[in-house]
Amino acid sequence: MAEIIDVATNIANVTAEIAAAARAAGRDPSEVALLAVSKTMPSERIEPALVAGQRAFGENRVQEAEEKWPPLRERYPDIDLHLIGPLQTNKAKKAVALFDMIETVDRPRLAHALAREMEAAGRRVACLIEVNTGAEPQKAGILPEEADAFIRECVDDLALPVRGLMCIPPAGEEPSPHFALLRQIARRNELPCLSMGMSADYPIAIALGATEVRVGTGVFGRRG
Ligand SMILES: *Cc1c(COP(=O)(O)O)cnc(C)c1O
């Protein structure tokens, strides 16, 4: 049976759940933004989200974003596009031109490349530092014990506009300790933004301080 996806209804439901989770945690719902993760979704599926008023979207590949978003931006100039996938240093220039936030700054070489390209383009793109909270060998992100020094390098030496932190907890593990660790690192470095929580666990992330939740499946349905 074909899955019938009503993106506008999904967004309304997720937005209501975000608000409920925020209130349950004694927080103002306006403190938590929904990033609609549109990776692999065609423009026809994204369009209803735009019509419903959604403006913040997440993509994980530079090339895919480059193909999909410039035409959509012509009609919706206030789109807020975030990169949430790994970034190769040789694509830093394109990423700076294309995205409004880069959530996956995770190593010194990339941080240097981004600082250089922002300087060259005269465009400052907000950044999040990705932390590999589970210290998984195959996963991107700075290790928790290296995070403070890396944040200082990005902020003090490179003057990158670092707004906060992002993490993807290990699959199949209880995510709470990872969200709590991310919040702790953000607090001691005085960073306001916490991008954490996906379709399966965003209410927990909100209870632990998320300021942005990245929801793909919950908004657009399952990816092909
Ligand atoms: C795909 C992806 C998401 C969204 O995942 P869902 O489970 O579909 O909500 C969130 N964050 C990152 C980094 C992703 O790659």
Side-chain angles (χ1 to χ4, degrees):
M1 204 179 73
E3 203 184 352
I4 297 166
I5 304 295
D6 182 345
V7 170
T9 300
N10 289 349
I11 287 177
N13 290 341
V14 171
T15 302
E17 269 205 59
I18 289 171
R23 286 197 199 94
R27 303 179 60 197
D28 191 316
S30 69
E31 291 171 19
V32 188
L34 167 61
L35 188 75
V37 176
S38 51
K39 63 186 185 193
T40 79
M41 293 297 160
S43 302
E44 307 84 75
R45 187 72 72 86
I46 297 171
E47 190 83 46
L50 287 161
V51 170
Q54 178 67 30
R55 288 297 179 272
F57 294 87
E59 290 282 344
N60 67 337
R61 293 181 58 234
V62 172
Q63 193 182 328
E64 183 185 342
E66 209 176 17
E67 286 159 14
K68 276 179 358 193
W69 285 95
L72 292 168
R73 254 198 223 276
E74 276 182 28
R75 283 180 298 132
Y76 301 93
D78 54 343
I79 278 167
D80 179 21
L81 191 61
H82 294 206
L83 179 64
I84 59 169
L87 179 59
Q88 291 171 279
T89 306
N90 63 9
K91 294 202 176 131
K93 182 177 182 173
K94 279 186 179 172
V96 165
L98 198 57
F99 291 96
D100 303 293
M101 180 179 263
I102 297 172
E103 299 202 5
T104 50
V105 181
D106 65 349
R107 58 197 191 280
R109 223 169 89 81
L110 176 60
H112 280 261
L114 287 170
R116 231 175 11 248
E117 295 302 344
M118 286 185 204
E119 175 76 30
R123 174 176 157 80
R124 283 168 67 73
V125 180
C127 292
L128 301 183
I129 308 287
E130 181 177 359
V131 182
N132 186 354
T133 56
E136 296 172 277
Q138 83 289 1
K139 196 170 266 177
I142 194 87
L143 291 170
E145 63 268 28
E146 294 170 1
D148 292 353
F150 182 53
I151 292 164
R152 294 273 58 88
E153 180 179 5
C154 289
V155 173
D156 299 340
D157 304 346
L158 298 172
L160 279 177
V162 176
R163 304 278 182 259
L165 307 178
M166 179 270 223
C167 78
I168 310 168
E173 251 183 56
E174 164 61 41
S176 304
H178 298 276
F179 296 151
L181 173 60
L182 199 71
R183 175 173 63 177
Q184 194 179 62
I185 298 170
R187 279 198 176 153
R188 67 175 182 245
N189 286 283
E190 298 178 336
L191 293 171
C193 299
L194 279 174
S195 170
M196 57 190 199
M198 320 203 307
S199 294
D201 56 18
Y202 67 87
I204 303 169
I206 291 168
L208 289 165
T211 61
E212 175 191 293
V213 293
R214 308 179 307 266
V215 181
T217 316
V219 168
F220 294 107
R222 267 171 296 162
R223 290 176 288 274

